[in-house]
Amino acid sequence: MTIKSIRLWLWGAVAALALTAIVAAVLLRQPEQTGFGRGSYNLIDQNGQPVDQTVFVGHPTALFFGFTHCPEVCPTTMAEMASWFEQLGDEGQDLRAYFVSIDPQRDTPEVLGDYVSWVSDRITGVTGTPEEIAKIAKAWGVYYARVDLGGDDYTMDHTASVFLLDASGEFQGTIAYREDQATALGKLRNLLAKS
């Protein structure tokens, strides 16, 4: 082996080490995907448009998990959301709301579109495969479970709180089911002020 070939080999080794260090530095700078509200999922809205974790960034958000066959909690919460938008008026123009179905078997985009449109054009319906719904529910710590009612009929148990996210997509608090209107509006105004 000549001196020239040894130098070439050493320079190649140095270049390989430098490349490894650069790749390691880039990987270490990747945003953390764990923690409350963190995760990756691929869903669709009622218009068939893709929805992922980035949809909550850039505006304050009210996030609710439910299902269209829900007899009480979901229609009540949806009506309260519509009331919040009405009460906030222009003050709440940046606020967006999402209704994520935990019953994708029945809640197709078309069904969700009909469901959210009767409440407000400011609420986006979201659905997807059972696997992707499980991912977003896990990210937000949402409980849901199918409850058989006999035959082919069933209902769903689920978390009933509305999650409040700031413009960075960070969790800021919740509005409980049937929370006092004034308290809920106060929480939303605080959220809007932070975003």
Side-chain angles (χ1 to χ4, degrees), residues 31-67:
E32 183 72 27
Q33 288 296 317
T34 61
F36 192 68
R38 301 287 180 181
S40 296
Y41 32 83
N42 294 300
L43 305 163
I44 54 174
D45 69 15
Q46 75 266 22
N47 299 314
Q49 296 301 307
V51 172
D52 64 18
Q53 60 282 355
T54 63
V55 75
F56 304 125
V57 177
H59 51 80
T61 299
L63 173 64
F64 181 70
F65 293 80
F67 65 113

Side-chain angles (χ1 to χ4, degrees), residues 162-177:
V162 175
F163 297 87
L164 302 178
L165 320 180
D166 66 15
S168 300
E170 297 292 330
F171 173 74
Q172 296 297 314
T174 60
I175 295 176
Y177 175 58

Side-chain angles (χ1 to χ4, degrees), residues 6-7 21 25 34 42 70 73 88 90 106 121 131-132:
I6 291 173
R7 282 186 184 157
T34 61
N42 294 300
C70 182
V73 172
L88 290 170
D90 290 342
R106 294 185 292 200
D121 60 357
E131 294 79 15
E132 295 299 315

Side-chain angles (χ1 to χ4, degrees), residues 120-141:
S120 170
D121 60 357
R122 310 252 329 255
I123 301 173
T124 300
V126 178
T127 189
T129 65
E131 294 79 15
E132 295 299 315
I133 294 294
K135 287 181 184 177
I136 189 173
K138 181 178 180 184
W140 289 102

Side-chain angles (χ1 to χ4, degrees), residues 146-170:
R146 177 179 165 140
V147 179
D148 289 323
L149 298 176
D152 293 334
D153 198 14
Y154 65 93
T155 189
M156 302 292 290
D157 279 345
H158 63 94
T159 299
S161 296
V162 175
F163 297 87
L164 302 178
L165 320 180
D166 66 15
S168 300
E170 297 292 330

